[in-house]
């Protein structure tokens, strides 16, 4: 019944700059909409090239499960009243994959497209398209041939279809929608579905022999040689589906149909303590304060106690690792909480050899009532409801269970602090506030003109306009203020007009409060209509005085939520998401990224417990809006996580970041203000991964300390990138790296830095409100918030990166010098012959160059990297850094090492040098992208470029050079009408090439 109410709403807002078609420099336009066999038409706007309709139509959706296969077609026509006909002005087509719920819908202005190559069109059409599920909304009445008035006699002249043509529509395969069970059942076996927690699908349970540890296969080092201990290690572990060999999982068991096969299988003994009944009274008052203690060997788990209840309920699950068990008997003991010593109530014993094994999709094991026994085994009063079974990470109880490796009881640690969780960062919007002017200001001192400015505030973000000393009470600013806001919009935009009456003294003239939920959204650069807002007095004033005032003070504003940008909350070099905020602009995913967090080895002790060094570590992975946190493994320097997670990939030029942290919140007295300690992190660029290959590597965790670079251990990961649409992935290489609005209305560098800082603070605050919280220091470390600060080490590293780009040019100059010096006569003669040939036939120069690049690219294929790049200590200048430079890098900002005057100059130098460092790094990045054209670091990009070189070489061999030179010259000097504000395809391709920024520490 719910699906039958689903409708497609289309709001035809208006058109802009249409083509005149009536011979008098104007047009009488209307719009026809076609969707799912239905047709609607707007009214006719006479003699208007920028008509406004604001008309809404609702289409019935016959089959909601097939919605993504349908299209909405909108045709704009000019009505010719004299002949009762119409002429074509343009059309647009919107795919069903772009339809969003009403809450996410914004007005988009679509450029009008041609009907054929001979059509002449211009202008754009503004539509708001959304899917709505509201039984109270009735569908519009579609027009038919019978009531097709005004243009019915000549309707056959147009090629607009009566219904959308599905036979010419391209079919794209999308990820299964978890909201539709039938679709999920049909497609889930083929494509892994992103899930909310760690899952693992094992074989049918049997107690296996202990598996050997992962075998070290090869040792790699980066291009710049560094110590072997800091290098990447490729391993061949036993994962869920078998052993990984050469990037493929060799199946060794019956798990051939397993989707989540990137983690090692772990067996656990699960004990679900549900409730008890008719417990004997233990206190003088005739009651009992019961709790349950689950023991096996040296491990135990304790539930919370319940005050004065003989029929308590707990419903808690404990998980004990099978590989750590050194006992064959499980004891479940009920005790009475007491001030001095807890009293024994009764117990149940289980032989582990008799415990059943369970493998999903088997139904959960039903709990049973067990009679309690005393210490001698005699049955006593009272029963306990339990369920005991052996399972793996696939079990539904696994994410919420207490783990034996936590080594902590319920009473001492909050349950959520050690469990694995999935977080979704809020969707961020840019808020653009254009303060135009104020009118009829009434300052306190009316004998002087006010020196006014406007202060705008959203949450903790505060910005001010420049003060205006106008010779009037109507100051003009026309200044843009930019903020970052997160959904849901709970904050208000507060604008205050203030008068600077004296240095350091400001008086408030009036205030305006605008809820962000009421602010208009836009997804392009269309003009936002301005509004006048009445200023409210901040304090109570004299009523008689208000009656004497003829005019009220007003503030002129343009306010909007800009959804056409991607809100940068991380460094652009390591961005994990490049999509705009508005969901209508999102493209279908190109693939699926799967991450298996296996284990960590050789971790450096981060704290002391019971007289020995230890660590309580967990891993955090960030990609797109989805953050994941593994469970915390307590008191272990070689923890095993074995959790697997999945993300949708929308762009190959994105980076997955995985960090390891030490949990400092597990003490009995809480954190005491301490921060979670960073152990290290790993970055992996998606474009450097081959599709379908399983990468199993042990990554060194490298952290820079005031004493130098230190290896904190190694993190073992399994990664696989699966492509779901190869054509869409290749098409991405021709698209701009950032959304269109970044090029149409770009931000300054200062604005981007400020907005990024605000975005990181909002994400950190929102994730910090989750349970368990993802703390601010974790979010900042994963987002590289301090990457823009000055560092002598980073500056030297970027300089040497830049110098390494020119090593090839220097080598070519040296080689040419050797030719001139006739050091090798045979080579010199051959070069002279080649030089004379190219001089005689200049048309061979370009095809020869492209052919050589093609041959070099093919030759380098055999030397292509077989593993993702990782942190390089030599490249980062982390090994040879001077102690004084490290002291400067870890110094506070502003500095605390010098007197006031030197501090000011030093901070100014650091600020300027930080920008120089960024410019040098960007130059180095461009050169490294040139090198990556033929290095196969991004295999798809190199394959595209090598293919282009071959085609260009063949084409130029058969095309006269003069023709090619003329075409290139004409293209470079083309008229501005044929130029676009967006970057060209070669520029977009170049910007997506990987650089060595991923390897910077």
């Amino acid at each position: 019944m719910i699906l039958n109410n689903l409708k497609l709403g289309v709001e035809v807002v208006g058109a802009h700059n249409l083509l005149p078609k009536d011979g008098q420099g104007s047009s009488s336009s209307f719009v026809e909409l076609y969707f799912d066999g239905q047709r609607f038409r707007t009214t006719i706007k006479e003699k208007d090239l920028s008509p406004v309709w604001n008309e809404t139509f609702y289409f019935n959706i016959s089959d909601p499960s097939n919605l993504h296969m349908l299209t909405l077609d909108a045709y704009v026509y000019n009505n010719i009243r004299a002949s009762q006909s119409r002429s074509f002005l343009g059309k647009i087509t919107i795919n069903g994959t772009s339809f969003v719920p009403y809450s996410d819908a914004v007005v988009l202005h679509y450029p009008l497209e041609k009907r054929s190559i001979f059509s002449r069109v211009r202008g754009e059409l503004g539509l708001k398209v959304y899917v709505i599920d509201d039984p109270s909304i009735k569908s519009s009445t579609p027009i038919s041939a019978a009531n097709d008035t005004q243009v019915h006699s000549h309707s056959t002249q147009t090629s607009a279809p009566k219904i959308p043509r599905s036979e010419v529509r391209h079919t794209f395969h999308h990820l299964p929608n978890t909201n539709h069970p039938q679709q999920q059942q049909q497609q889930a076996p083929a494509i892994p579905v992103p899930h909310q927690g760690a899952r693992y699908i094992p074989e049918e349970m049997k107690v296996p022999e202990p598996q050997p540890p992962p075998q070290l296969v090869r040792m790699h080092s980066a291009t710049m040689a560094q110590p072997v201990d800091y290098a990447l290690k490729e391993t061949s572990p036993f994962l869920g589906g078998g052993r990984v060999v050469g990037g493929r999982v060799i199946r060794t068991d019956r798990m051939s149909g397993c989707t989540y096969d990137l983690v090692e299988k772990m067996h656990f003994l699960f004990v679900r303590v549900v409730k008890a009944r008719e417990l004997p009274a233990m206190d003088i008052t005739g009651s009992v304060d019961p709790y349950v203690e689950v023991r096996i060997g040296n491990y135990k788990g304790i539930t919370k106690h319940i005050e004065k209840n003989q029929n308590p309920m707990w419903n808690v699950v404990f998980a004990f690792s099978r590989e750590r068990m050194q006992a064959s008997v499980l004891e479940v003991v009920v005790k009475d909480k007491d001030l001095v010593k807890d009293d024994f109530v009764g117990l149940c014993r289980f032989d582990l050899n008799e415990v059943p094994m369970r493998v999903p999709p088997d139904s959960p094991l039903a709990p049973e009532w067990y009679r309690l026994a005393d210490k001698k085994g005699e049955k006593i009063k009272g029963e306990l409801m339990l369920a005991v079974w052996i399972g793996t990470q696939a079990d539904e109880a696994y994410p919420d269970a207490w783990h034996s490796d936590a080594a902590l009881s319920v009473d001492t640690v909050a349950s959520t602090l050690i469990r694995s969780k999935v977080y979704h960062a809020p969707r961020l919007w840019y808020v653009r506030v254009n303060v135009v002017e104020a009118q009829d200001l009434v300052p306190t001192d009316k004998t002087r003109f006010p020196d006014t400015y406007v202060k705008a505030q959203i949450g903790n973000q505060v910005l001010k306009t420049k003060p205006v000393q106008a010779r009037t009470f109507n100051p003009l600013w026309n200044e843009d203020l930019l903020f970052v806001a997160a959904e849901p919009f709970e904050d208000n935009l507060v604008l205050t007009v203030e008068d600077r009456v004296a240095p350091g003294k400001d008086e408030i003239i009036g205030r305006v409060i605008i809820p962000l939920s009421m602010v208009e959204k836009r997804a392009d650069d269309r003009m936002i209509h301005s509004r006048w807002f009445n200023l409210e007095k901040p304090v109570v004033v004299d009523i008689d005085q208000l009656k004497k005032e003829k005019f009220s003070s007003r503030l002129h504003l343009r306010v909007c939520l800009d959804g056409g940008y991607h809100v940068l909350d991380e460094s652009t070099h390591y961005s994990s998401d490049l999509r705009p905020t508005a969901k209508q602009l999102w493209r279908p995913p190109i693939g699926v990224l799967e991450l298996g967090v296996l284990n960590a080895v050789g971790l450096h002790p981060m704290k002391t417990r019971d007289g020995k060094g230890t660590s309580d570590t967990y891993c955090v992975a960030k990609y797109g809006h989805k953050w994941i946190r593994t469970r915390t493994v307590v008191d272990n320097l070689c923890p095993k996580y074995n959790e697997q997670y999945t993300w949708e990939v929308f762009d190959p030029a994105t980076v997955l970041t995985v960090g390891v942290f030490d949990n400092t919140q597990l003490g009995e007295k809480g954190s005491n203000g301490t921060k979670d300690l960073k152990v290290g992190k790993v970055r992996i660029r998606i474009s450097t991964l081959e599709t379908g290959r399983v990468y199993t590597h042990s990554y060194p965790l490298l952290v820079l300390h005031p004493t130098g670079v230190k290896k904190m251990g190694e993190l073992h990961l399994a990664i696989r990138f699966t492509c779901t649409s190869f054509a869409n992935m290749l098409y991405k290489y021709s698209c701009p790296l950032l959304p269109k609005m970044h090029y149409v209305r770009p931000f300054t560098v200062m604005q981007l830095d400020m907005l990024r800082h605000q975005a990181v603070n909002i994400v950190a605050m929102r994730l910090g409100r989750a349970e368990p919280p993802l703390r601010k220091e974790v979010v900042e470390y994963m987002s590289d918030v301090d990457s823009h600060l000055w560092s002598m080490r980073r500056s030297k590293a970027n300089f040497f990166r830049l110098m390494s780009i020119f090593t090839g040019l220097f080598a070519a100059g040296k080689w040419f010098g050797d030719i001139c010096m006739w050091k090798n006569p045979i080579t010199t003669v051959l070069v002279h012959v080649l030089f004379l040939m190219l001089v005689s036939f200049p048309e061979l120069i370009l095809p020869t160059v492209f052919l050589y690049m093609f041959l070099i690219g093919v030759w380098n294929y055999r030397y292509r990297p077989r593993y993702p790049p990782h942190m390089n200590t030599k490249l980062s200048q982390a090994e040879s850094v001077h102690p004084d430079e490290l002291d400067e890098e870890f110094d506070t900002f502003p500095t605390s090492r010098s007197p006031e005057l030197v501090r000011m100059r030093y901070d100014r130098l650091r600020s300027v040098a930080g920008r120089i460092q960024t410019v040098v790094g960007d130059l180095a990045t461009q050169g490294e992208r040139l090198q990556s054209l033929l290095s196969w670091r991004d295999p798809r990009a190199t394959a595209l470029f090598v293919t282009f070189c071959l085609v260009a070489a063949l084409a130029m061999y058969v095309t006269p050079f003069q023709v090619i030179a003329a075409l290139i010259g004409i293209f470079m000097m083309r008229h501005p009408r044929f130029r676009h504000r967006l970057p060209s395809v070669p520029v977009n391709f170049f910007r997506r090439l990987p650089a060595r920024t991923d390897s910077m520490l």
Side-chain angles (χ1 to χ4, degrees):
M1 295 298 295
I2 296 177
L3 295 180
N4 292 337
N5 296 325
L6 207 61
K7 294 179 178 60
L8 180 70
V10 181
E11 181 179 341
V12 183
V13 179
H16 175 67
N17 194 27
L18 296 178
L19 193 70
K21 279 294 185 75
D22 61 357
Q24 301 176 2
S26 186
S27 291
S28 301
S29 54
F30 64 93
V31 180
E32 283 193 0
L33 305 172
Y34 300 84
F35 176 77
D36 201 9
Q38 305 159 70
R39 179 173 62 147
F40 298 131
R41 178 189 300 153
T42 67
T43 57
I44 299 175
K45 298 297 181 180
E46 300 286 347
K47 305 292 184 180
D48 192 351
L49 294 181
S50 297
V52 177
W53 287 282
N54 286 326
E55 300 178 16
T56 304
F57 305 90
Y58 293 98
F59 293 87
N60 284 322
I61 300 176
S62 58
D63 185 5
S65 63
N66 197 37
L67 180 61
H68 65 281
M69 299 294 294
L70 302 177
T71 59
L72 170 68
D73 296 306
Y75 289 79
V76 185
Y77 295 104
N78 169 50
N79 181 44
I80 305 175
R81 180 178 300 178
S83 60
Q84 292 294 312
S85 62
R86 58 187 179 183
S87 56
F88 179 77
L89 292 178
K91 68 165 187 172
I92 63 172
T93 300
I94 304 176
N95 293 323
T97 55
S98 300
F99 299 158
V100 297
Y102 177 77
S103 59
D104 291 322
V106 295
V107 178
L108 281 177
H109 288 256
Y110 300 89
L112 292 175
E113 302 173 358
K114 296 181 179 181
R115 182 169 52 191
S116 65
I117 60 175
F118 302 105
S119 302
R120 288 186 65 239
V121 301
R122 79 177 188 192
E124 53 189 20
L125 178 65
L127 298 178
K128 185 176 182 179
V129 185
Y130 50 87
V131 177
I132 191 167
D133 182 10
D134 190 348
S136 63
I137 296 179
K138 305 298 181 183
S139 299
S140 308
T141 303
I143 60 176
S144 59
N147 60 6
D148 192 359
T149 59
Q150 298 178 349
V151 293
H152 65 276
S153 60
H154 293 271
S155 61
T156 56
Q157 294 180 4
T158 176
S159 62
K162 294 294 181 183
I163 59 175
R165 295 178 297 171
S166 60
E167 62 272 10
V168 298
R169 194 178 304 124
H170 297 285
T171 300
F172 296 93
H173 298 282
H174 301 279
L175 291 174
N177 189 347
T178 56
N179 295 327
H180 298 283
Q182 294 179 354
Q183 184 180 4
Q184 182 178 358
Q185 291 175 4
Q186 294 173 1
Q187 298 182 5
I191 303 174
V193 183
H195 56 290
Q196 296 299 317
R199 287 293 183 269
Y200 173 89
I201 302 180
E203 62 176 333
E204 295 183 358
M205 294 296 301
K206 62 180 181 179
V207 180
E209 297 180 0
Q211 296 179 348
Q215 178 184 358
L216 183 63
V217 178
R218 287 196 304 272
M219 185 76 72
H220 295 287
S221 61
T223 305
M224 296 187 68
Q226 60 177 346
V228 175
D229 196 35
Y230 293 166
L232 207 62
K233 300 175 185 176
E234 183 175 0
T235 61
S236 181
F238 281 109
L239 300 185
R243 178 181 285 278
V244 178
V245 178
R248 297 292 183 267
V249 178
I250 307 301
R251 305 289 178 182
T252 59
D253 51 29
R254 291 176 288 174
M255 295 181 58
S256 57
C258 172
T259 302
Y260 304 103
D261 56 354
L262 297 186
V263 291
E264 297 180 6
K265 181 168 54 180
M266 300 175 66
H267 291 86
F268 295 90
L269 171 66
F270 291 97
V271 181
R272 180 184 295 275
V273 182
V274 184
K275 58 184 176 179
R277 67 184 179 187
E278 299 178 0
L279 294 179
M282 304 298 293
D283 298 336
I284 301 177
T285 59
S287 184
V288 64
D289 304 327
Y291 68 90
V292 177
E293 183 179 282
V294 182
R295 297 187 306 217
I296 179 167
N298 295 327
Y299 296 97
K300 68 179 180 179
I302 304 175
T303 69
K304 64 180 180 180
H305 76 279
I306 300 178
E307 298 271 347
K308 301 185 185 305
N309 195 329
Q310 292 180 281
N311 299 286
M313 177 176 288
W314 295 280
N315 199 19
V316 177
V317 180
F318 298 92
F320 299 89
S321 177
R322 280 292 304 269
E323 67 178 13
R324 291 191 176 189
M325 291 183 190
Q326 298 179 355
S328 59
V329 176
L330 168 69
E331 290 185 347
V332 183
V333 184
V334 181
K335 291 186 176 182
D336 174 40
K337 187 72 174 177
D338 206 343
L339 293 176
V340 181
K341 183 179 180 181
D342 297 343
D343 298 325
F344 174 86
V345 178
L347 61 80
C348 297
R349 287 191 177 95
F350 298 88
D351 187 350
L352 293 187
N353 296 324
E354 303 298 328
V355 173
M357 296 186 180
R358 175 183 175 266
V359 179
D362 291 350
S363 298
L365 193 67
E368 301 178 31
W369 285 105
Y370 294 91
R371 285 285 301 274
L372 295 177
D374 56 18
K375 296 180 180 180
K376 298 180 180 180
E378 300 290 338
K379 298 298 182 181
I380 61 173
K381 181 183 177 183
E383 293 180 300
L384 187 62
M385 180 178 279
L386 298 172
V388 183
W389 73 96
I390 293 177
T392 64
Q393 302 104 311
D395 205 290
E396 293 87 349
Y398 176 79
D400 297 323
W402 287 98
H403 291 272
S404 59
D405 49 14
L408 296 163
S409 67
V410 181
D411 291 336
T412 56
V413 179
S415 62
T416 54
L417 289 179
I418 61 173
R419 294 177 181 172
S420 59
K421 294 293 178 181
V422 174
Y423 307 83
H424 284 278
R427 194 149 59 112
L428 302 177
W429 293 74
Y430 285 139
V431 183
R432 187 184 296 271
V433 182
N434 180 239
V435 183
V436 183
E437 59 182 330
Q439 189 178 72
D440 300 329
L441 296 181
V442 183
T444 304
D445 184 6
K446 297 184 178 181
T447 61
R448 51 177 287 276
F449 290 108
D451 181 9
T452 55
Y453 65 91
V454 177
K455 181 175 73 174
Q457 180 173 1
I458 298 179
N460 296 326
Q461 309 172 55
V462 179
L463 294 176
K464 298 179 181 179
T465 65
K466 296 178 180 178
V468 174
Q469 295 178 335
R471 306 295 296 175
T472 176
F473 293 101
N474 303 319
L476 176 67
W477 292 280
N478 197 21
E479 187 172 339
D480 269 355
L481 304 178
L482 292 167
F483 298 88
V484 178
E487 293 182 347
F489 302 113
E490 300 172 347
D491 295 324
N492 295 328
L493 170 62
V494 181
L495 297 113
T496 308
V497 181
E498 300 189 9
D499 178 20
R500 182 158 296 170
V501 295
K505 182 180 180 181
D506 299 332
E507 290 186 353
I508 299 177
I509 297 178
R511 178 182 291 121
V512 175
I513 299 177
I514 305 174
L516 287 181
S517 57
M518 306 299 294
V519 175
E520 183 180 358
K521 299 177 182 178
R522 71 172 183 178
D524 50 20
D525 61 338
R526 63 186 174 89
M527 180 62 69
I528 295 295
H529 298 293
S530 60
R531 289 181 56 191
W532 286 95
F533 294 87
N534 292 327
L535 291 176
E536 300 176 357
K537 294 293 183 180
V539 294
V540 178
V541 297
D542 187 5
I543 302 299
D544 295 333
Q545 181 67 25
L546 286 177
K547 293 180 179 179
K548 294 178 182 179
E549 294 178 357
K550 187 176 181 180
F551 300 101
S552 63
S553 301
R554 299 192 302 171
L555 188 61
H556 195 191
L557 301 173
R558 291 188 184 92
V559 185
C560 71
L561 291 165
D562 265 333
Y565 294 94
H566 168 67
V567 180
L568 294 167
D569 60 340
E570 51 195 340
S571 174
T572 52
H573 295 303
Y574 318 124
S575 184
S576 62
D577 190 12
L578 299 171
R579 293 174 295 171
T581 300
K583 287 186 177 180
Q584 287 176 271
L585 301 177
W586 290 5
R587 298 282 185 177
I590 63 171
V592 174
L593 175 66
E594 298 167 273
L595 170 68
V597 185
L598 302 179
N599 54 48
V601 295
L603 293 181
H604 186 77
M606 305 299 291
K607 59 170 67 81
T608 302
R609 182 181 293 134
D610 297 332
K612 65 175 183 178
T614 186
S615 290
D616 310 321
T617 56
Y618 63 92
C619 298
V620 175
K622 177 192 185 305
Y623 187 78
H625 290 171
K626 181 178 175 181
W627 295 62
I628 66 96
R629 169 179 175 154
T630 68
R631 61 192 177 94
T632 299
V633 180
V634 179
D635 197 15
N636 198 328
L637 297 180
C638 296
K640 290 187 177 181
Y641 306 102
N642 284 311
E643 298 181 15
Q644 183 169 340
Y645 300 89
T646 307
W647 288 268
E648 288 180 332
V649 177
F650 293 87
D651 197 311
T654 48
V655 176
L656 167 71
T657 305
V658 184
V660 183
F661 301 89
D662 180 74
N663 197 332
T664 62
Q665 317 303 311
L666 303 181
E668 294 185 0
K669 297 182 180 180
S671 62
N672 293 324
T674 59
K675 297 181 178 180
D676 285 357
L677 304 176
K678 57 187 179 183
V679 180
K681 65 183 170 186
V682 176
R683 301 190 198 103
I684 299 165
R685 185 172 290 270
I686 307 303
S687 63
T688 61
L689 304 177
E690 298 178 10
T691 56
R693 178 179 175 181
V694 179
Y695 291 86
T696 53
H697 291 87
S698 185
Y699 295 82
L701 298 172
L702 305 176
V703 177
L704 195 66
H705 287 278
T707 56
V709 66
K710 181 180 294 186
K711 180 180 176 180
M712 307 296 291
E714 295 184 2
L715 180 63
H716 197 191
L717 301 177
I719 303 165
R720 176 170 55 206
F721 170 54
T722 306
C723 176
T724 56
S725 177
F726 191 72
N728 284 351
M729 182 169 60
L730 295 184
Y731 172 72
K732 272 294 180 182
Y733 283 93
S734 66
C735 296
L737 185 64
L738 293 172
K740 177 181 177 181
M741 283 293 292
H742 286 270
Y743 307 100
V744 176
R745 297 192 67 176
F747 295 131
T748 64
V749 176
M750 293 290 292
Q751 286 176 326
L752 285 176
D753 287 344
M754 178 195 67
L755 293 172
R756 184 191 167 212
H757 177 72
Q758 295 175 359
V760 172
N761 286 338
I762 290 176
V763 173
M765 180 181 64
R766 190 65 62 86
L767 296 182
R769 291 164 55 184
E771 192 63 36
L774 208 57
R775 296 169 63 85
K776 182 178 181 180
E777 60 269 17
V778 174
V779 176
E780 290 181 347
Y781 182 61
M782 297 288 289
S783 302
D784 289 292
V785 294
D786 58 348
S787 60
H788 65 287
L789 296 180
W790 161 256
S791 165
M792 181 67 75
R793 177 189 59 83
R794 285 198 192 100
S795 298
K796 290 196 299 183
N798 287 333
F799 174 77
F800 287 115
R801 285 173 57 204
L802 184 62
M803 294 301 296
S804 66
I805 299 301
F806 297 101
T807 54
L809 184 62
F810 296 153
K814 183 177 182 301
W815 173 81
F816 184 73
D818 294 340
I819 295 296
C820 296
M821 297 300 295
W822 287 78
K823 288 190 175 181
N824 191 330
I826 298 178
T827 304
T828 303
V829 170
L830 292 177
V831 170
H832 278 74
V833 172
L834 178 62
F835 172 74
L836 294 176
M837 182 180 66
L838 293 180
V839 169
S840 302
F841 305 97
E843 62 273 12
L844 298 181
I845 296 176
L846 284 179
T848 302
V849 170
F850 279 110
L851 184 60
Y852 277 3
M853 286 194 291
F854 168 76
L855 295 176
I856 293 173
V858 172
W859 178 262
N860 287 344
Y861 177 76
R862 58 188 297 186
Y863 304 111
R864 67 189 185 280
R866 302 301 180 100
Y867 58 96
H870 187 53
M871 312 293 184
N872 192 311
T873 55
K874 290 238 180 243
L875 179 68
S876 305
Q877 296 291 311
E879 292 183 331
S880 58
V881 62
H882 192 274
D884 181 66
E885 296 174 3
L886 281 175
D887 180 71
E888 179 185 33
E889 184 169 349
F890 283 90
D891 187 13
T892 58
F893 191 87
T895 180
S896 58
R897 303 292 194 269
S898 306
E900 286 295 326
L901 181 61
V902 178
R903 177 184 304 165
M904 182 272 294
R905 295 175 179 175
Y906 183 48
D907 292 342
R908 181 176 58 190
L909 173 64
R910 293 171 69 184
S911 177
V912 174
R915 302 193 179 280
I916 296 176
Q917 154 192 317
T918 303
V919 172
V920 174
D922 290 341
L923 290 175
T925 298
Q926 308 311 317
E928 289 167 352
R929 285 173 176 166
L930 275 176
Q931 288 182 334
S932 65
L933 279 172
L934 300 174
S935 67
W936 293 94
R937 185 177 179 192
D938 183 344
R940 288 163 291 276
T942 303
L944 286 173
F945 183 73
V946 167
T947 304
F948 167 77
C949 292
L950 177 61
V951 174
L954 297 177
M956 290 181 178
Y957 273 123
V958 299
T959 306
F961 177 77
Q962 292 82 354
V963 175
I964 297 175
L967 292 176
I968 293 176
I970 293 174
F971 177 77
M972 296 297 293
M973 296 180 290
R974 66 192 184 279
H975 193 272
R977 181 176 181 179
F978 301 101
R979 297 179 183 272
H980 300 282
R981 288 183 292 181
L982 295 180
S984 61
V985 171
V987 173
N988 296 333
F989 178 85
F990 181 77
R991 287 178 177 172
R992 291 182 174 277
L993 293 172
R996 300 179 70 185
T997 51
D998 309 338
S999 302
M1000 287 288 294
L1001 187 63

